[in-house]
Amino acid sequence: GGYETVNNQRFHLSTKLPFKVKSGASTRRLIDLKDTKESLGINPTGQSGHFMDKHYKDQLDLYRQGKYRKQIMDLEIIKKNNPKVLILLPTK
């Protein structure tokens, strides 16, 4: 596949199977444009991608298995379940 291939993965060609994947997509999303509340996604390194974050790699096993998590795309549910808000204001 090329750069535009879905789930593009890089590996070294060899005669041994299976090929050992060296790199691939950093995140996968399936967005249902008719009903965004039914969208799925997976992010193997967490939102921040920082190895010291408490959620780093908590989706990795699902990612490796080709599975997804339901994405919260409803603003009211987000507001209700995520009370932490970060507000960035420009300096004066």
Side-chain angles (χ1 to χ4, degrees), residues 7 10 56:
N7 198 22
R10 303 244 184 240
Y56 184 74

Side-chain angles (χ1 to χ4, degrees), residues 2 6 9-11 19 32 47 50 71 74 77 80 82:
V6 175
Q9 298 177 345
R10 303 244 184 240
F11 51 87
F19 296 135
D32 185 334
Q47 286 295 85
H50 192 279
Q71 299 296 284
D74 183 309
I77 292 174
K80 180 180 174 184
N82 295 295

Side-chain angles (χ1 to χ4, degrees), residues 15-72:
T15 57
K16 296 180 183 179
L17 294 176
F19 296 135
K20 186 175 180 181
V21 174
K22 298 290 184 182
S23 65
S26 61
T27 185
R28 294 193 295 256
R29 302 270 182 258
L30 300 170
I31 306 297
D32 185 334
L33 298 176
K34 185 175 181 183
D35 185 1
T36 57
K37 294 175 188 167
E38 295 301 317
S39 298
L40 303 171
I42 194 75
N43 190 354
T45 60
Q47 286 295 85
S48 71
H50 192 279
F51 73 96
M52 292 186 71
D53 187 284
K54 69 179 182 176
H55 295 292
Y56 184 74
K57 295 197 308 186
D58 62 0
Q59 298 177 47
L60 183 56
D61 288 338
L62 292 173
Y63 179 89
R64 286 180 176 158
Q65 296 167 26
K67 295 181 179 178
Y68 293 85
R69 296 177 62 229
K70 186 171 175 109
Q71 299 296 284
I72 302 172

